[in-house]
């Protein structure tokens, strides 16, 4: 169970009206997805002595709690490696922290907000994702908090463009794979999104949304698919009895999907030349599992790998078709499905390259799933700016 | 050994059925069979062969009237002749029967010319050795996809009502598509273990433009892992009972409601299996199967739409074992296509989808016979039709009905094409009422045909008095046709849209099947003979009338003549017998036709038109023998000829009920010409032509007519089409829109139908139509339309 604010002592002080800055801390941006809640927290490091003095105890303890821990309760995690240091936002300098916890823990989170009297901080809680709508009433009723609900796709694009602009602590946020078709020499290469438009943005969360983005404010949702990260994890749990994404990926990394999938060569003995299909291409995902004998002897690792490969290839295939239909050559993959998931990123890079004969390039971003939350935070700063 | 899972999963339920497969009923005409092809799939084998069928046909031959004594009183001679026609046989059975079937074929195969068997399908290599050993034929493998496409083109071109749209919740689940002569381009999405998406541009040009590994094998393999259920059918059964919302994460699970901004409704699946990522919950097999089915169907539908959009194609056919007549998957695929294209693309399915590979492999092997240059017709008597899809069927029942399945196609003597005068060939539907959709009408007509069966059997026996075994054959005919009617009661969509025409045609096919090629031949002969005797008298009395009286008398004559119809129920009732029997045909002129205004009455317009310039050429689709053709139609034709209009008389190529055939009409017209200088001159000057329609049906499908007829119609610049009789002008073509003037004349000889149309028994339909926006005088066939 998540105990995000468990150590915050309930010290309620009144906010002083003489507060100098435009935007009252704390600065949060929240993206409540189907599986995960993504939270970004801006920790100011340029706090003056005067500010320090005036800062309410409550706020101070929040800051200390969040920045001094990397795990919160049983399921809350701070992705320390993603932290953006010495970032300037709205004239303030600070570190941007990236925190996630399961959406299932949301009620507990809200309850804590009430217990810790978060509402007294008079901050605006900017939230996006479906949960902003789903939990809006709970926030209001249980914690006396009003959410500023924001559209998830607006936030996603705004956050993505911002992070790409500020870079990743002096390094590019964006990367691709060189030689994606060759497993031996395939290497991750940083790159910049200097001229990002138009881009096809594929956001792989529990489900998948595919957007054609022409500028920061001009985009359309092309399509989506329900076969996403949630499907991978859901099927893995059913097939292998695993419980977490990490566990599932760990198993997948050890498995061999060709024991599960029927390949072209399993059917044709080699390539299907008439249609230019390589023998190693998957003809039927889980096709070998039609045989009872093979079902009885298959390993969990192989099943996990096949599930991962199936879902990833399918997303790649749909994304590629969309790119062709929309006439866009740059395909950017984001979303938490890609977290610690090099199997999928490499596979997507390969699929884009192979099927488009090098026409399409798959791009990835280091902060995979956090752009919605970043976008929500930016909205906070924007709204406070123009009251 | 990739296929072993499928085979072993079938053994458990096939044992009890091995006795139910009657090979001699299935592999028909084997003694003349040549050119075999076989398509072996994961669980079903499809065998195709070409055979010749010998059956009796009734031929008429004019007597040499100089030797009168030999002929006696009879007008012409009827003889039963053996005719050999080509037939394609397609049989589908479970792989478990392969050995039994091969043995049977070996024992019955007489033709020794056959050296090779064309083979396709994933299982072909596995059974190669067995086939070669059992049959002594060399197995020649053909590419699966090529065969599939060839087969698809063939059925789309030759079988009316081949393609259908599936609508689970509509009154009629199957909506059959009208045959579009232009079948290309289209997209074929073949869902086998994987998915292949093929763009077909012409007979020989096709390309696999994409595919997916998530297909039927994924449903089966993953489904078996998740539910511990072995068989594909059982998985579908499970899926049809499940609730996917307990497993899938819906939009409303994330948003609490709909995602209004994007217009995504709350019930939409956001993440398939998104709720199963938990260790502390059990999910039912049914729910998981359902979720899996949705996941796979939606995914395939989405990809199909993306490809259809990219290649700008709107016709998308779905096939493969995942579809194969399963209502569950047809429904989910249809749903997905509707969702992703917002109705722009329709998911189309094929009645004979399972046979495409076998048909294609066969065609590959038969290229030297050029099967594509002929037209072929589905033989309703020898074909099984679509299997039952009642929602509550149990899996065993379904498996049983799928035990074997047959399709037979007859090679038609002539190539069939559209009537060039159809206003819009692509929207032309011959049939007036679709009995698949009209339940009360269906009830009535099925009842009606069942009621009439005894009479048909009696007449069939009576038509062959010299053949003692006729009674036995007639009894077999009765059983077969009754069984067809029972099947159609359960599955009205079995052969495409059920119509009065298809019921009549099925009866003709069944009669032919048991060598009753023309049960009415004797009756027709007698009536023609008698009617001819009154011809001169009739013409003379007509000529005595004033012009206007004469025009009316001619129309009345056609209508009254049409009342003499042995095929109609009311006419064969005892009360009517004196009129239709051998009584004085003078009574014909006193037939109690209903008074004007008739039920449909545009006689005044017709009369006005006759006062204008003559038509260039009239095409007359004739109906019955006897009084109808001789005393009704011929005087009418005579008048047209006198006016300076050329006349093309289109009659059936083969017998159907008491309809006059082209052969009979040739003789009758000669005899009339001998008595009537107008007809004689018409024939001599080539202004009166007798052309066969290409049909052997009591109804008329203007989209399947003899190519020669179409050519004549075009050459002669036909500007008037006359269609006579209930079968051709009411049951079919009542709403047919032509690009020239048309006249539809019929007497309603069925009280139920009369009632339906708001009239009484013997109500008259006289429907004269001029196409909109076309002045009468220049109503030529060559106007742009």
């Amino acid at each position: 169970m998540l105990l995000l604010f468990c150590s915050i002592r309930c010290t309620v002080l009144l906010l002083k009206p003489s507060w100098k800055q435009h935007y009252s801390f704390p600065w949060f941006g929240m993206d409540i997805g189907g599986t995960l809640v993504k939270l970004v927290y801006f920790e100011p490091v340029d706090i003056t002595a005067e500010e320090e003095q005036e800062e309410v105890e409550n706020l101070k303890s929040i800051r200390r709690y969040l920045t001094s821990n990397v795990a919160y309760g049983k399921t809350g995690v701070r992705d320390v490696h993603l932290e953006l240091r010495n970032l300037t936002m709205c004239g303030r300098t600070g570190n941007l922290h990236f925190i996630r916890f399961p959406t299932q823990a949301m009620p507990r989170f809200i309850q804590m907000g009430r217990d810790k009297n978060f509402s007294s901080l008079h901050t605006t809680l900017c939230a996006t994702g479906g949960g902003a709508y789903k939990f809006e009433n709970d926030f209001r009723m249980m914690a006396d908090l009003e959410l500023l609900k924001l559209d998830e796709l607006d936030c996603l694009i705004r956050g993505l463009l911002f992070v790409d602009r500020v870079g990743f602590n002096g390094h590019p946020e964006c990367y691709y794979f060189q030689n994606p078709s060759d497993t031996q020499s395939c290497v991750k290469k940083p790159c910049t999104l200097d001229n990002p438009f138009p881009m096809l943005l594929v956001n792989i969360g529990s489900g998948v949304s595919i957007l054609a983005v022409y500028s920061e404010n001009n985009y359309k949702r092309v399509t989506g698919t329900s076969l996403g990260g949630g499907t991978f994890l859901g099927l893995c749990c059913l097939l292998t009895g695993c419980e977490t994404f990490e566990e599932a990926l760990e198993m997948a990394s050890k498995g061999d999907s060709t024991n599960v999938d029927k390949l072209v060569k399993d059917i044709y003995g080699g390539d299907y030349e008439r249609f230019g299909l390589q023998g190693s291409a998957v003809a039927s995902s889980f096709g070998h599992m039609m045989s009872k004998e093979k079902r009885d002897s298959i390993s969990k690792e192989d099943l996990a790998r096949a599930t991962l490969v199936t879902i990833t290839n399918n997303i790649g295939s749909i994304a590629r078709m969309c790119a062709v239909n929309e006439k866009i050559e740059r395909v950017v993959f984001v979303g938490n499905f890609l977290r610690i998931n090099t199997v999928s990123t490499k596979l997507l890079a390969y699929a884009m390259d192979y099927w488009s004969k090098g026409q399409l390039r798959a791009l990835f971003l280091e902060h995979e799933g956090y752009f919605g939350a970043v976008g929500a935070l930016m909205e906070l700063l924007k709204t406070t700016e123009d009251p | 050994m990739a296929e072993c899972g499928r085979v072993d999963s079938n053994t458990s339920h096939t044992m009890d059925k091995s006795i139910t497969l009657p090979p001699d009923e299935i592999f028909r005409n084997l003694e003349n069979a040549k050119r075999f092809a076989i398509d072996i799939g994961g669980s079903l084998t499809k065998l195709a062969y070409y055979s010749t069928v010998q059956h009796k046909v009734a031929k008429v031959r004019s007597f040499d009237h100089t030797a009168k004594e030999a002929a006696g009183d009879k007008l012409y001679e009827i003889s039963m002749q053996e005719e050999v026609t080509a037939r394609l046989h397609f049989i589908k059975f479970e792989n478990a029967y392969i050995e039994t079937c091969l043995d049977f074929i070996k024992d019955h195969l007489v033709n020794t010319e056959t050296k090779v068997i064309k083979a396709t399908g994933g299982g072909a290599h596995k059974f190669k050795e067995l086939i070669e050993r059992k049959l002594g034929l060399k197995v020649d493998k053909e590419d699966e996809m090529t065969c599939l496409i060839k087969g698809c083109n063939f059925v789309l071109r030759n079988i009316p009502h081949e393609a259908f749209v599936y609508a689970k919740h509509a009154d009629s689940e199957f909506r059959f598509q009208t045959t579009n002569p232009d079948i290309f381009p289209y997209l074929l999405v073949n869902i086998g273990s994987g998915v292949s998406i093929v763009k077909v541009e012409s007979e020989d040009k096709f390309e696999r433009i994409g595919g997916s590994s998530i297909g039927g094998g994924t449903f089966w393999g993953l489904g078996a892992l998740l539910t511990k259920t072995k068989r594909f059918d059982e998985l579908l059964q499970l899926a049809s009972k499940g609730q996917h919302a307990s497993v899938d994460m819906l939009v409303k699970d994330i948003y609490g409601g709909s995602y209004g901004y994007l217009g995504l409704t709350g019930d939409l699946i956001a993440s398939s299996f998104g709720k199963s990522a938990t260790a502390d919950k059990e999910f039912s097999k049914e729910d998981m199967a359902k979720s899996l089915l949705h996941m796979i169907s939606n995914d395939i539908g989405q990809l199909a739409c993306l490809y259809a959009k990219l290649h700008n194609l709107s016709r998308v056919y779905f096939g493969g074992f995942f579809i194969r007549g399963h209502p569950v998957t047809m429904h989910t695929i249809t749903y997905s296509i509707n969702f992703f294209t917002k109705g722009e693309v329709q998911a189309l399915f094929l009645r004979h989808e399972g046979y495409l590979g076998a048909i294609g492999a066969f065609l590959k092997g038969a290229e030297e016979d050029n099967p594509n240059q002929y037209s072929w017709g589905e033989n309703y008597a020898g074909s099984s039709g679509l299997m039952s899809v009642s929602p509550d069927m149990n899996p065993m029942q379904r498996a049983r009905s799928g035990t074997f399945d047959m399709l037979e196609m007859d090679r038609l003597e002539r190539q069939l094409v559209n009537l060039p005068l159809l206003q819009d060939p692509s929207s032309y539907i011959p049939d007036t009422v679709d009995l698949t959709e009209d339940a009360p009408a269906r009830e009535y007509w099925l009842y009606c045909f069942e009621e009439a069966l005894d009479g048909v059997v009696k007449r069939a026996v009576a038509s062959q008095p010299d053949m003692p075994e006729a009674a036995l054959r007639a009894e077999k005919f009765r059983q077969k046709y009754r069984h067809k009617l029972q099947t159609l009661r359960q599955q009205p969509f079995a052969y495409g849209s059920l119509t009065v025409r298809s019921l009549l045609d099925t009866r003709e096919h069944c009669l032919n099947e048991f060598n009753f090629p023309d049960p009415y031949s004797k009756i027709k002969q007698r009536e023609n003979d008698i009617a001819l005797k009154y011809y001169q008298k009739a013409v003379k009395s007509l000529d005595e009338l004033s012009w206007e009286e004469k025009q009316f008398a001619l129309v009345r004559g056609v209508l009254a003549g049409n009342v003499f119809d042995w095929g109609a129920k009311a006419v064969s009732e005892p009360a009517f017998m004196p009129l239709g029997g051998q009584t004085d045909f003078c009574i014909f002129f006193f037939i109690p036709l209903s008074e004007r205004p008739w039920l449909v009455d545009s006689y005044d317009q017709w009369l006005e038109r006759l006062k204008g310039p003559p038509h260039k050429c009239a095409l007359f689709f004739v109906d019955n023998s006897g009084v109808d053709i001789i005393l009704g139609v011929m005087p009418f034709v005579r008048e047209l000829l006198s006016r300076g209009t050329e006349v093309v008389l289109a009659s059936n190529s083969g017998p159907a009920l008491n309809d006059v055939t082209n052969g009979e009409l040739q003789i009758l017209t000669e005899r009339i010409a001998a008595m009537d200088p107008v007809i004689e001159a018409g024939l001599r000057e080539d202004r009166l032509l007798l052309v066969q329609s290409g049909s052997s049906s009591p109804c008329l499908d203007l989209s399947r007519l003899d190519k020669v007829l179409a050519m004549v119609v075009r050459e002669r610049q036909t500007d008037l089409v006359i269609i006579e009789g209930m079968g051709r002008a009411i049951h079919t073509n009542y709403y047919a829109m032509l690009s020239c003037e048309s006249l539809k004349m019929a007497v309603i000889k069925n009280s139920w139908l009369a009632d339906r149309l708001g009239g009484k028994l013997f109500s008259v339909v006289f429907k004269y139509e001029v196409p909109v926006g076309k002045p009468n005088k220049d109503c030529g066939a060559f106007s742009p339309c």
Side-chain angles (χ1 to χ4, degrees), chain A residues 130-131 134 151-152 206-207 221 223-224 226 230-231 234 243 272 274-275 283-285 295 314 318 320-321 325, chain B residues 143-145 193-194 206 208 213 218 222 224 253-255 259 261-262 270-273 276 279 299 302 306-307 310:
Chain A
K134 185 179 178 181
D151 179 74
E152 60 176 300
S206 317
R221 183 180 188 273
T223 189
S226 68
T231 314
E243 288 180 39
Y272 190 3
R274 174 77 177 77
F275 293 122
S284 173
S285 297
R295 282 200 299 274
N314 189 59
I318 293 172
R320 188 181 65 83
M321 283 305 297
N325 267 336
Chain B
D143 175 66
E144 210 173 331
M145 198 57 71
S193 20
F206 64 90
R208 185 188 191 273
S213 66
T218 315
L222 197 45
D253 293 321
I254 302 177
Y255 274 82
Y259 184 179
Y261 181 72
L262 287 180
S271 174
S272 294
F273 287 91
S276 65
D299 193 55
Q302 181 171 26
L306 286 167
Y307 281 102
L310 185 64

Side-chain angles (χ1 to χ4, degrees), chain B residues 678-712:
Chain B
V678 180
I679 299 292
E680 192 272 333
L683 285 176
R684 186 163 33 83
E685 292 159 14
D686 199 28
R687 293 192 300 113
L688 173 61
L689 282 86
L690 310 176
V691 183
Q692 46 185 313
S693 65
S695 157
S696 304
S697 163
C699 294
L700 179 64
D701 180 351
L702 294 176
S703 67
R704 280 169 78 81
L705 291 178
D706 193 324
K707 209 174 178 179
V708 176
L709 176 62
M711 206 180 68
V712 170

Side-chain angles (χ1 to χ4, degrees), chain B residues 419 421-423 702 721 723 736-742 744 771:
Chain B
L419 176 70
L421 297 170
L422 282 176
Q423 221 173 60
L702 294 176
V721 174
I723 308 176
M737 304 287 278
L738 298 169
S739 59
C740 67
E741 290 171 65
S742 64
K744 296 163 188 168

Side-chain angles (χ1 to χ4, degrees), chain A residues 96-121:
Chain A
L96 198 57
H97 298 276
F98 297 86
I99 297 157
R100 59 188 152 86
F101 62 90
T103 306
Q104 281 179 328
M106 205 57 206
R108 185 78 189 95
F109 178 82
I110 297 169
Q111 203 176 7
M112 211 152 23
R114 180 191 63 186
D115 295 348
K116 308 308 167 196
N117 207 0
F118 202 81
S119 61
S120 66
L121 291 172

Side-chain angles (χ1 to χ4, degrees), chain B residues 502-540:
Chain B
S502 71
L503 285 167
L504 283 164
D505 289 354
T506 305
R507 191 165 72 187
E508 295 298 324
H509 290 175
C510 291
L511 280 167
N512 279 329
E513 178 75 29
F514 294 100
N515 271 324
F516 293 106
D518 194 357
Y520 287 85
S521 56
K522 294 256 161 55
I523 295 171
K524 287 190 287 185
Q525 184 191 37
R526 194 169 60 230
E527 310 232 315
N528 285 334
D529 211 15
I530 298 169
L532 269 178
K533 296 191 173 117
Y534 291 88
Y535 179 76
Q536 276 169 311
K537 199 166 154 191
V539 167
K540 187 162 171 282

Side-chain angles (χ1 to χ4, degrees), chain A residues 32-35 104 129-131 133-134 151-154 206-208 219 221 223-231 233-235 237-239 242-243 262 266-268 272 274-275 277 282-295 298 303 310 314 317-318 320-322 324-326, chain B residues 1-6 8 122 125 143-146 193-195 206-209 211-214 216-218 220-222 224-226 229-230 247 249 252-256 259 261-262 264 269-274 276-279 283 288 292 295 298-299 302-303 306-307 309-310 321 340:
Chain A
I32 312 168
T35 311
Q104 281 179 328
Y133 296 80
K134 185 179 178 181
D151 179 74
E152 60 176 300
L153 301 181
D154 288 343
S206 317
V208 182
Y219 71 88
R221 183 180 188 273
T223 189
T225 165
S226 68
L227 284 83
T231 314
L233 186 54
L235 280 175
C237 291
L238 292 173
L239 293 172
C242 72
E243 288 180 39
K262 211 179 247 191
D266 295 325
I267 299 175
Y268 294 99
Y272 190 3
R274 174 77 177 77
F275 293 122
L277 288 175
V282 184
S284 173
S285 297
F286 286 84
H288 280 318
M289 297 296 97
M290 290 187 274
S291 147
K292 186 176 188 306
E293 198 178 75
K294 292 194 174 172
R295 282 200 299 274
I298 200 73
L303 287 173
T310 301
N314 189 59
S317 169
I318 293 172
R320 188 181 65 83
M321 283 305 297
C322 290
V324 176
N325 267 336
E326 300 300 323
Chain B
M1 290 311 288
E3 307 294 324
C4 63
R6 305 200 213 167
D8 71 26
H125 66 277
D143 175 66
E144 210 173 331
M145 198 57 71
T146 311
S193 20
V195 181
F206 64 90
E207 186 191 357
R208 185 188 191 273
I209 53 173
S212 167
S213 66
I214 299 186
T218 315
W220 195 342
L222 197 45
L225 285 168
L226 291 171
T229 302
K230 282 188 215 164
V247 183
M249 187 182 283
K252 68 181 172 201
D253 293 321
I254 302 177
Y255 274 82
Y259 184 179
Y261 181 72
L262 287 180
L264 303 179
I269 305 170
S271 174
S272 294
F273 287 91
S276 65
T278 163
F283 297 92
M288 288 188 291
L292 186 62
M295 173 179 112
N298 286 338
D299 193 55
Q302 181 171 26
L303 273 175
L306 286 167
Y307 281 102
K309 189 181 165 198
L310 185 64
F321 81 72
F340 284 108

